[in-house]
Amino acid sequence: MDFLSSMGLFIGSLLSNTLASLSGGGAGLIQFPLLIFLGLPFAIALATHKVASVALGLGAALKHVRAGTLDWTLTIYVILAGMAGVIAGANLILFIPGRVAEALLGVLILGLGIYSLTKSSLGQDTQPRHRDLAGMVIGGIGLAAIGVLNGSLTAGTGLFVTLFLIRWFGFDYKQAVALTLVSVGLFWNGIGAVTMYVAGAEIYWPWIPVLLAGSLLGGYLGAHLATQKSNRLIKRCFEVLTFLIGFKLLLGM
């Protein structure tokens, strides 16, 4: 890769991961199509993106740990709840054509954006609920189902987790984004990347250092902005990303 291509890859990775870290998901909106545009086949681009996305979670984790915004008990719960789903999804995607699944996911993500847009008070204040045993079990099942999507598709599933944590458990946007970025960005994506590699997916290692640098820096920068800005702004960023990703997946661009 020449210098200009490397800079384009870094800037694309930095931008996409900053937005994802601020909004709670969606790094694949720019980063994954960019890998394909630069010449990687779909399956190799997907596996390469999954590996690079781990640095997004690491960058966000560094900032949120320093800021003290993480509840580690709930973080471990979300990680464990989604693990089985992520592993299943990462194996399934190697055998199932993804176009129809991506279109359906696009419709669902558009639905998330519309739902958030019509609920002006959603995620603006913490309203703890469903923290009893039954609520945690049902929540775990929901997170496992989202984990299947996370393991098998390219973009947007972190947004599902963000909104699920707000709607089911009563987190505000800041809390939900922090929890999503560490649990999904670092651990779910890491588990998915390892599973795909073990299952035979090829990773294009020469581009990994540039992608890791952009993802790590973008994850930290986005998490910094998330701790400084209001829930209202984070909500608006979340909604913009859901519409962009939803249309992209639906139209297959």
Side-chain angles (χ1 to χ4, degrees), residues 22-24 64 112-113 115-117 119-126 159 162-163 166 170-180 226 230-239 242:
L22 176 60
S23 307
H64 284 301
L112 294 184
Y115 180 82
S116 179
L117 195 62
K119 302 289 184 179
S120 59
S121 62
L122 183 71
Q124 300 307 294
D125 299 296
T126 304
L159 301 172
T162 298
L163 194 60
I166 293 169
F171 291 104
D172 64 24
Y173 265 95
K174 284 189 177 184
Q175 295 170 328
V177 166
L179 189 51
T180 297
S230 67
N231 279 312
R232 179 67 58 188
L233 177 62
I234 296 171
K235 182 175 184 288
R236 290 292 174 251
C237 291
F238 173 90
E239 289 159 359
T242 57

Side-chain angles (χ1 to χ4, degrees), residues 169-234:
F169 290 115
F171 291 104
D172 64 24
Y173 265 95
K174 284 189 177 184
Q175 295 170 328
V177 166
L179 189 51
T180 297
L181 263 295
V182 176
S183 303
V184 177
L186 182 56
F187 290 96
W188 285 22
N189 285 345
I191 293 165
V194 170
T195 302
M196 291 186 73
Y197 181 73
V198 171
E202 185 178 348
I203 298 166
Y204 194 68
W205 294 106
W207 292 1
I208 289 295
V210 175
L211 290 168
L212 289 178
S215 297
L216 182 64
L217 184 58
Y220 188 91
L221 179 59
H224 173 74
L225 292 172
T227 59
Q228 301 296 317
K229 303 303 180 181
S230 67
N231 279 312
R232 179 67 58 188
L233 177 62
I234 296 171

Side-chain angles (χ1 to χ4, degrees), residues 62-73:
L62 291 173
K63 178 58 184 176
H64 284 301
V65 168
R66 290 183 61 187
T69 53
L70 282 175
D71 183 323
W72 283 106
T73 301

Side-chain angles (χ1 to χ4, degrees), residues 77-78 81-82 129-147 161 164-165 168-169 188:
Y77 162 76
V78 174
R129 53 181 174 268
H130 298 137
R131 307 291 176 91
D132 58 357
L133 179 60
M136 298 295 280
V137 169
I138 296 172
I141 294 171
L143 289 167
I146 300 172
V161 177
F164 184 83
L165 293 175
W168 183 254
F169 290 115
W188 285 22

